[in-house]
Amino acid sequence: MPISETPRIDSSRTLTLAANAAFVPIGVVTVLLGPMLPALSARWSLNYSQAGSLFTAQFLASTAGVGVSGILISRRGFRFALNVGLLVMAAGVAGL
């Protein structure tokens, strides 16, 4: 293997590790609404229909995020899309 290929392999491994590590916060945020729903319903005085619409909003936002991430990856690269996605998720949780 030529020496010139070594940095590319290390970079690929680093990106793979970062992507795998990003699944932890993504998974936590994805399932966060379920356990928090009773507290949110009580705090905001939501009925069952209104509380259920939070799941619809989460689904639509995650679907839109998938579409936007495809555009970001093709234009700016994987790292940028991953970082933006994690920052948007953090902002959403902080806002909640």
Side-chain angles (χ1 to χ4, degrees):
M1 175 170 72
I3 294 175
S4 63
E5 290 184 18
T6 304
R8 183 174 210 168
I9 292 172
D10 291 340
S11 176
S12 176
R13 286 183 184 156
T14 303
L15 285 174
T16 301
L17 180 62
N20 289 328
F23 273 108
V24 173
I26 290 169
V28 168
V29 171
T30 299
V31 300
L32 187 64
L33 183 57
M36 286 188 62
L37 194 58
L40 294 174
S41 295
R43 183 175 199 168
W44 294 336
S45 302
L46 301 176
N47 61 31
Y48 290 127
S49 175
Q50 292 168 328
S53 68
L54 293 175
F55 288 102
T56 303
Q58 180 188 16
F59 170 75
L60 292 174
S62 66
T63 302
V66 169
V68 170
S69 69
I71 295 168
L72 286 177
I73 288 171
S74 66
R75 291 186 181 177
R76 299 288 304 265
F78 175 76
R79 247 181 238 176
F80 181 78
L82 182 64
N83 289 334
V84 167
L86 291 173
L87 285 173
V88 168
M89 283 182 9
V93 170
L96 183 62

